[in-house]
């Protein structure tokens, strides 16, 4: 048998066969949809591990290591098992360290979010993912300075919807445009903070999260939550938080001192 590694590295796909007789065939991928990252920016990596062998891959250790450009202590992660029988921890904080059980043909997906240091001395940021005995995968971003807070078109708020505290904005998810993380709606709060709802398509499931960019300081994110087909979502701000309702569970982000100004 062979172990195969597939890594998405700045728009490229890399296959690395590694001989490992008697071991299940595992395929790992990393994708963060970025070639560049801003100082202080939080990047979300979509990491998958698939068992392409007819035998179960039991107790496979998985781990992430980071170069000094990252603030690893502030990292968070969640695991989404693809089918019944997959075993992984539901969530954690800090560096990803988990153990997976993968039945034949099954896949586990980890969403690993980590901010860059605000003032690193490095010019690149490299994440390394290791799983079992396969050769580690790496993903490297070049660190740059962006003007806009969200690093997307209209991130200066020209397309953000004004939202007053206590007002609910109800909306539905449009069809996904692909498998990358995409912003589906943005708001501008009275304190001039920006809030956006992000969506990620995993297989046939939509996940959403909230992302808050205050006028000053680091951006903050909620956890990811599944959205049932046809569900109506609603964002409301007030009492120092922003809340997204309608997903599998409510998502909340603390506005901090910004809400008091």
């Amino acid at each position: 048998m062979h172990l195969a590694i597939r890594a998405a590295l700045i728009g490229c796909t890399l296959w690395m066969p590694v001989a490992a007789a008697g071991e299940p065939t595992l395929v790992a991928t990393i994708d963060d949809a970025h070639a560049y990252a801003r100082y202080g920016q939080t990047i979300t990596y979509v990491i998958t591990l698939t068992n392409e062998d007819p035998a179960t891959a039991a107790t496979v250790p998985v781990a992430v290591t980071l170069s000094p450009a990252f603030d690893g202590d502030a990292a968070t992660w969640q695991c989404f098992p693809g089918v019944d029988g997959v075993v992984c921890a539901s969530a954690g904080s800090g560096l990803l360290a988990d153990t997976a059980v993968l039945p034949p043909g099954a896949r586990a997906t980890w969403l690993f979010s980590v901010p860059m240091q605000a003032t690193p001395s490095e010019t690149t940021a490299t994440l390394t993912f290791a799983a079992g005995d396969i050769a580690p995968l790496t993903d490297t971003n070049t660190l740059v300075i962006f003007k806009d807070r969200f690093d997307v078109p209209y991130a200066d708020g020209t397309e953000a919807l004004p939202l007053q505290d206590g007002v609910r904005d109800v909306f539905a998810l449009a069809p996904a445009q692909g498998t990358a993380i995409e912003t589906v709606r943005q708001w501008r709060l009275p304190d001039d903070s920006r809030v956006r709802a992000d969506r990620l398509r995993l297989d046939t499931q939509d996940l959403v999260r909230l992302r808050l960019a205050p006028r000053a300081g680091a951006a903050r994110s909620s956890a990811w939550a599944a959205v049932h087909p046809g569900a109506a979502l609603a964002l409301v701000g007030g009492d120092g938080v922003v809340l997204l309702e309608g997903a599998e569970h409510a998502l909340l982000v603390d506005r901090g001192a910004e809400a008091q100004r």
Side-chain angles (χ1 to χ4, degrees), residues 34-86:
H34 287 78
Y36 302 92
R38 186 190 72 239
Y39 298 102
Q41 181 184 7
T42 296
I43 298 292
T44 296
Y45 294 85
V46 181
I47 302 171
T48 70
L49 186 64
T50 305
N51 179 16
E52 296 190 346
D53 194 81
T56 294
T59 59
V60 179
V62 299
V64 159
T65 55
L66 302 171
S67 67
F70 293 96
D71 182 2
D73 291 340
T76 59
W77 54 270
Q78 293 174 262
C79 181
F80 293 87
V83 297
D84 290 341
V86 172

Side-chain angles (χ1 to χ4, degrees), residues 77-81 86-92 96-101 109-110:
W77 54 270
Q78 293 174 262
C79 181
F80 293 87
V86 172
V87 177
C88 59
S90 60
L96 169 60
D98 199 2
T99 301
V101 176
T109 301
W110 289 268

